[in-house]
Amino acid sequence: AKEQSGGRLRVSILGSERHAAWTDGGRELFDCTAQGRIDAFFLSGVQIDGGANINLIGLGDYPQTTKRFSGSFGSAYMYHLIPKVILFTLAHNKKVLVPKVEFISAAGTSEPDVYRPGGPRHMFTNRCVFDFDAPTARFSLVSVHPGESVESIRDNTGFDFDVPDQVPQTPLPDNETLAQIRGPVAAAVGETYPAFANKVFGTQLESATASV
């Protein structure tokens, strides 16, 4: 979460007692959202459909679901308020990217008379990058990762999407960017969320946190 104060940018790491005067987990996150202090947020779902609706509840006819997931938490609330929500999944296949989710935990779009300052803008997967257009409620392909093609994206996506005449390859991060991610970013994340950081950064975390 961030805010402007006297022309200086202040960053609060949620859950960090050293970086924030107060911290209270989920309630802190929701308060920052309502105050307009969160500009962007990453959100995922066990199912995501072509209208950017996500499912975090389960499979089957609710409430008699055949499989139960972790739950929606505050996804619907934050999806409506945060200006730039970036969807993501590391399982780009037709089981996850479906024509229609079986339960809408958070809706990708709202009726015209509903006040909604926030919503989905992009989706990153392990195969490609999409943009999302709220007025048409459709994804469009922005780039494909190395080793992928428009055809492989279509073969692994359960919904239709728009494709421009030219689809570039997603650029790889340069060495400077990788050094920042594996160094100071890993160290900052690891201080408050060590289990998450170890899973994401692995052995890189040990050398990064040693200098903090």
Side-chain angles (χ1 to χ4, degrees):
K2 73 175 187 178
E3 66 179 353
Q4 289 286 75
S5 177
R8 299 178 61 187
L9 181 67
R10 188 176 76 185
V11 177
S12 300
I13 299 179
L14 300 177
S16 170
E17 295 181 358
R18 188 165 77 89
H19 290 91
W22 59 276
T23 181
D24 194 18
R27 285 188 291 180
E28 178 183 7
L29 181 62
F30 299 150
D31 284 347
C32 288
T33 299
Q35 295 165 17
R37 294 178 57 199
I38 300 181
D39 297 325
F41 189 74
F42 287 87
L43 186 62
S44 189
V46 181
Q47 289 182 323
I48 305 171
D49 67 23
N53 303 303
I54 67 170
N55 176 9
L56 290 164
I57 291 295
L59 302 180
D61 293 331
Y62 182 84
Q64 303 301 322
T65 52
T66 56
K67 290 187 177 180
R68 188 68 166 84
F69 307 143
S70 58
S72 302
F73 195 49
S75 57
Y77 170 78
M78 301 182 73
Y79 214 10
H80 274 65
L81 292 181
I82 297 176
K84 180 186 287 186
V85 177
I86 302 169
L87 298 173
F88 71 94
T89 179
L90 296 179
H92 186 147
N93 57 60
K94 290 185 176 180
K95 289 184 178 180
V96 175
L97 302 184
V98 296
K100 184 177 178 61
V101 296
E102 295 184 43
F103 185 94
I104 299 178
S105 296
T109 58
S110 301
E111 296 297 324
D113 59 345
V114 174
Y115 174 69
R116 181 171 185 170
R121 299 293 181 267
H122 315 283
M123 180 162 66
F124 298 159
T125 80
N126 58 319
R127 297 180 186 273
C128 69
V129 177
F130 289 108
D131 277 349
F132 184 75
D133 181 63
T136 60
R138 284 181 64 88
F139 284 102
S140 60
L141 187 61
V142 174
S143 65
V144 296
H145 300 342
E148 299 290 345
S149 64
V150 174
E151 290 71 25
S152 70
I153 302 303
R154 288 197 187 279
D155 289 343
N156 289 278
T157 306
F159 54 78
D160 190 25
F161 53 87
D162 297 327
V163 180
D165 294 335
Q166 298 293 328
V167 180
Q169 186 178 98
T170 307
L172 296 175
D174 57 32
N175 290 334
E176 181 179 355
T177 300
L178 288 175
Q180 288 291 319
I181 294 173
R182 293 168 176 169
V185 172
V189 172
E191 180 185 355
T192 308
Y193 307 106
F196 172 79
N198 275 316
K199 182 176 181 180
V200 173
F201 301 106
T203 57
Q204 306 290 348
L205 181 61
E206 295 180 7
S207 59
T209 54
S211 61
V212 175

